[in-house]
Amino acid sequence: MHTAAHESRHAEQHETIRDAKIGFWDKKEKELEEHGVTREEVDSWEDNFNNYKSSSNGFEEYYNQPVEKDARKAGREFVNSLTPEKFDEYKRKAGVK
């Protein structure tokens, strides 16, 4: 569950970077604020993805990247907020008994 939330956050990071470049500046700033991220974070993510370090570059370099820290946090928050009822719902939808 953590991995799925982690990877979903990477997709959201990419979408946020893309979307932050479209439209009026003041509107985008408000949208970023509503999503709980700052322009600086989004700029950091974009720079990070443009200079991404895979784990083959060394685990510490990979692990400490802004996009990875943010995705781990999102995964952790998702798992920590998961109720037994919600977990059962996810299992049911996945066809797991």
Side-chain angles (χ1 to χ4, degrees):
M1 301 290 287
H2 180 281
T3 301
H6 175 111
E7 295 304 326
S8 293
R9 181 60 175 188
H10 284 314
E12 184 177 4
Q13 290 165 340
H14 283 287
E15 286 182 13
T16 304
I17 291 166
R18 182 200 64 214
D19 292 349
K21 295 179 181 181
I22 302 169
F24 296 102
W25 182 264
D26 57 341
K27 183 179 180 198
K28 285 296 148 191
E29 293 304 310
K30 183 175 179 171
E31 287 178 23
L32 293 176
E33 185 179 304
E34 289 172 359
H35 288 286
V37 297
T38 65
R39 169 66 60 179
E40 291 76 23
E41 286 175 292
V42 175
D43 290 344
S44 172
W45 294 344
E46 182 174 27
D47 181 58
N48 189 179
F49 280 126
N50 288 335
N51 299 287
Y52 190 80
K53 307 285 189 236
S54 70
S55 59
S56 64
N57 293 94
F59 183 75
E60 290 297 319
E61 278 191 72
Y62 159 78
Y63 189 81
N64 290 315
Q65 295 177 100
V67 294
E68 294 303 333
K69 287 180 179 180
D70 180 71
R72 282 194 308 276
K73 179 182 173 196
R76 186 171 49 252
E77 288 174 353
F78 176 79
V79 170
N80 289 343
S81 70
L82 196 58
T83 64
E85 295 79 20
K86 199 67 170 170
F87 182 65
D88 287 341
E89 180 184 335
Y90 287 127
K91 289 189 323 186
R92 182 180 46 73
K93 287 180 178 180
V96 177
K97 296 182 181 188

